[in-house]
């Protein structure tokens, strides 16, 4: 693992300014982006482009999300230190690192084992600790629920009810859990935020248009077992 260096640091700070201009206002999210070395989450050949505001390939037809998208989803999650956050679609591990940098306890699920293994090696080398599992995350991770935040980093066709049920119910000064999920067709999705407002009650906001790789049901291993 190569060290962070001043060239990448300068580029990262320029990216932060670009994100601010595009409307990201949460200073804690911007600070996390300024800290996490995105170039270490892509293959060496792509490092020069790591601080452009673009999605980049990470293998197996998947991508590391565009920095704007990561910042936008993270801002919507309203993460506070100590929050329990579930990520569905670990991919490169970059979004998980951003959540760790914000002080969250991160749980993450990825259906492609080689991607998960690479992501976990990077996170460990950088000192970020997460709880991870390989498989289909579309139904969440009930064993570790409730979550203060759930972020789905692949496009879904609908909001899975199981994910809403794993959001924290608000109590005292602890707010209800937030689910941030892109929902739509395979071509484009709208960002949706579902907030738990009480036992079994939710408030849904439909926001901007994005384009994500699809949320696929069933894990590779389940597929191999079937064939
Ligand atoms: N958060 C990632 C973005 C990765 S792209 C990052 O920061 O790099 C979305 C990822 O979701 C892909 O790696 C894809 O394999 C994974 N994915 C798609 N459907 C899934 C499912 N049902 N369960 C778990 N992971 C899934």
């Amino acid at each position: 693992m190569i060290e962070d260096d001043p060239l990448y640091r300068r580029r990262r700070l320029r990216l932060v300014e670009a994100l601010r201009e595009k409307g990201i206002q949460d200073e804690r999210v911007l600070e996390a982006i300024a800290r996490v070395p995105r170039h270490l989450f892509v293959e060496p050949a792509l490092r020069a482009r790591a601080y452009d505001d673009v999605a980049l390939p990470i293998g197996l037809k998947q991508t590391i999300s565009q920095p704007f998208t990561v910042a936008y989803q993270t801002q919507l999650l309203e993460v506070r230190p100590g929050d329990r956050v579930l990520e569905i679609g670990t991919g490169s591990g970059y979004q998980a690192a951003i959540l760790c940098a914000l002080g969250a306890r991160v749980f993450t699920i990825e259906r492609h084992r080689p991607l998960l293994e690479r992501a976990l090696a990077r996170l460990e080398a950088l000192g970020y600790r997460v709880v991870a599992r390989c498989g289909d995350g579309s139904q969440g991770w009930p064993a570790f629920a409730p979550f203060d935040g759930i972020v789905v980093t692949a496009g879904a066709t609908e909001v899975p009810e199981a994910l809403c049920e794993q959001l924290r119910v608000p109590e005292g000064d602890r707010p209800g859990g937030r689910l941030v999920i892109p929902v739509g067709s395979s071509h484009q999705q709208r960002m949706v935020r579902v907030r738990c407002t009480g036992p079994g009650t939710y408030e849904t906001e439909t926001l901007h248009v994005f384009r994500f790789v699809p949320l696929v049901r069933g894990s590779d291993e389940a597929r191999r077992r079937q064939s």
Side-chain angles (χ1 to χ4, degrees), residues 159 164 192-195 202-206:
V159 177
C164 298
V192 171
R193 173 165 63 179
V194 178
R195 193 187 287 277
Y202 306 95
E203 186 184 276
T204 302
E205 296 161 84
T206 302

Side-chain angles (χ1 to χ4, degrees), residues 3-220:
E3 294 300 311
D4 195 11
D5 78 32
L7 169 71
Y8 288 122
R9 217 187 124 61
R10 276 199 302 280
R11 288 186 182 171
R12 198 152 63 237
L13 294 178
R14 273 209 298 274
L15 170 64
V16 166
E17 287 320 306
L19 295 177
R20 204 190 291 279
E21 274 161 33
K22 289 179 186 177
I24 303 299
Q25 292 170 338
D26 186 325
E27 288 302 324
R28 293 184 55 246
V29 171
L30 292 169
E31 252 170 55
I33 290 177
R35 273 211 308 281
V36 177
R38 188 172 188 257
H39 63 281
L40 299 181
F41 290 84
V42 297
E43 294 307 314
L46 294 174
R47 278 192 185 139
R49 295 174 61 200
Y51 297 104
D52 294 348
D53 190 17
V54 294
L56 293 168
I58 55 171
L60 297 165
K61 296 194 191 145
Q62 306 304 321
T63 55
I64 176 172
S65 303
Q66 183 183 342
F68 177 77
T69 306
V70 173
Y72 185 88
Q73 286 196 288
T74 309
Q75 184 167 273
L76 287 175
L77 278 174
E78 297 173 354
V79 180
R80 304 195 304 185
D83 274 3
R84 298 163 70 82
V85 180
L86 173 66
E87 175 194 32
I88 297 158
T90 318
S92 67
Y94 178 70
Q95 168 78 75
I98 294 289
L99 295 168
C100 289
L102 284 164
R105 289 185 58 194
V106 179
F107 302 82
T108 185
I109 308 174
E110 167 58 52
R111 56 186 292 277
H112 286 298
R113 189 174 291 281
L115 293 182
L116 183 63
E117 282 173 0
R118 250 175 278 165
L120 292 179
R122 290 173 180 132
L123 290 166
E124 196 185 334
L126 290 166
Y128 294 123
R129 288 181 48 200
V130 300
V131 179
R133 123 174 127 77
C134 183
D136 175 14
S138 60
Q139 303 305 302
W141 203 345
F144 288 110
F147 298 104
D148 299 286
I150 301 179
V151 59
V152 181
T153 70
T157 50
E158 60 186 358
V159 177
E161 217 177 292
L163 297 186
C164 298
E165 289 164 359
Q166 289 167 44
L167 293 174
R168 180 184 299 286
V169 173
E171 208 190 324
D173 59 2
R174 197 134 194 205
R178 291 77 61 196
L179 162 65
V180 176
I181 178 169
V183 181
S185 67
S186 55
H187 302 294
Q188 75 174 33
Q189 305 88 31
R190 273 186 179 274
M191 198 64 76
V192 171
R193 173 165 63 179
V194 178
R195 193 187 287 277
C196 180
T197 52
T201 62
Y202 306 95
E203 186 184 276
T204 302
E205 296 161 84
T206 302
L207 306 154
H208 291 90
V209 171
F210 286 85
R211 192 166 178 196
F212 281 80
V213 295
L215 182 70
V216 179
R217 300 285 293 270
S219 70
D220 277 354

